[in-house]
């Protein structure tokens, strides 16, 4: 069974108040876990990676072995696929941490989608920011 990890991050201002969220769903669309939280002041890209890392950690805790990561961050998806290099030192560090977490899960694929196809994670980010 392949589990889907929808992940998102955002900042109001760039950098600005930031938050991330993730949603883990099984292949029938049942939500296994979801979480959104603020992370202080950060860039959009840092928030995106923080959401990915948190989601990968939760997937590993749940014993997921096959995962499809779905994100509206084209930059993050292409960096995680190895199509783009992470030039920024802090993003490179986050990318390496995400890669380590992905290895703990096992088989991980990355898919880029438009924001409209990442609704729940996007909503959780905005709810976290609104509540802060």
């Amino acid at each position: 069974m392949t589990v889907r990890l929808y992940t998102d991050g955002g900042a109001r201002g760039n950098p600005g108040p930031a938050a991330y969220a993730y949603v883990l769903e099984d292949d029938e669309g049942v939500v296994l876990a979801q979480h959104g939280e603020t992370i202080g002041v950060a860039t959009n890209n840092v928030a995106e990676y923080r959401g990915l890392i948190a989601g990968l950690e939760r997937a590993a805790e749940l014993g997921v072995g096959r995962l499809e990561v779905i994100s509206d961050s084209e930059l993050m998806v292409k960096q995680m696929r190895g199509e783009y290099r992470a030039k920024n030192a802090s993003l490179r560090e986050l990318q390496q941490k995400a890669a380590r977490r992905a290895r703990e899960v096992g088989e991980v694929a990355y898919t880029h989608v438009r924001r409209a196809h990442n609704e729940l994670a996007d909503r959780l980010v905005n709810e976290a920011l609104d509540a802060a």
Side-chain angles (χ1 to χ4, degrees), residues 30-42:
V30 175
V31 174
L32 304 172
Q34 66 181 33
H35 181 72
E37 83 177 61
T38 58
I39 57 171
V41 174

Side-chain angles (χ1 to χ4, degrees), residues 116-127:
H117 297 285
N118 200 18
E119 262 181 82
L120 182 52
D122 183 62
R123 189 176 76 225
L124 289 171
V125 166
N126 284 298
E127 287 173 1

Side-chain angles (χ1 to χ4, degrees), residues 42-119:
T43 65
N44 289 332
N45 291 328
V46 166
E48 294 281 3
Y49 268 108
R50 291 281 303 273
L52 172 62
I53 291 165
L56 288 167
E57 288 171 349
R58 187 69 178 118
E61 288 170 4
L62 293 172
V64 172
R66 294 181 65 202
L67 189 66
E68 180 185 13
V69 175
I70 300 166
S71 172
D72 59 20
S73 172
E74 184 176 12
L75 177 73
M76 184 184 73
V77 166
K78 288 192 173 194
Q79 286 176 341
M80 292 306 297
R81 286 181 184 160
E83 295 172 30
Y84 289 174
R85 268 190 11 181
K87 296 174 188 166
N88 175 287
S90 63
L91 283 189
R92 189 169 45 251
E93 191 175 305
L94 289 167
Q95 182 210 18
Q96 291 167 351
K97 184 173 184 178
R100 287 192 299 274
R101 296 294 179 260
R103 286 191 293 276
E104 292 170 8
V105 170
E107 187 180 326
V108 180
Y110 297 89
T111 303
H112 174 253
V113 296
R114 294 183 179 277
R115 181 173 292 143
H117 297 285
N118 200 18
E119 262 181 82

Side-chain angles (χ1 to χ4, degrees), residues 11-27:
R12 294 193 175 150
N14 202 20
Y20 72 79
Y22 66 82
V23 179
L24 283 160
E25 281 186 359
D26 70 12
D27 54 359

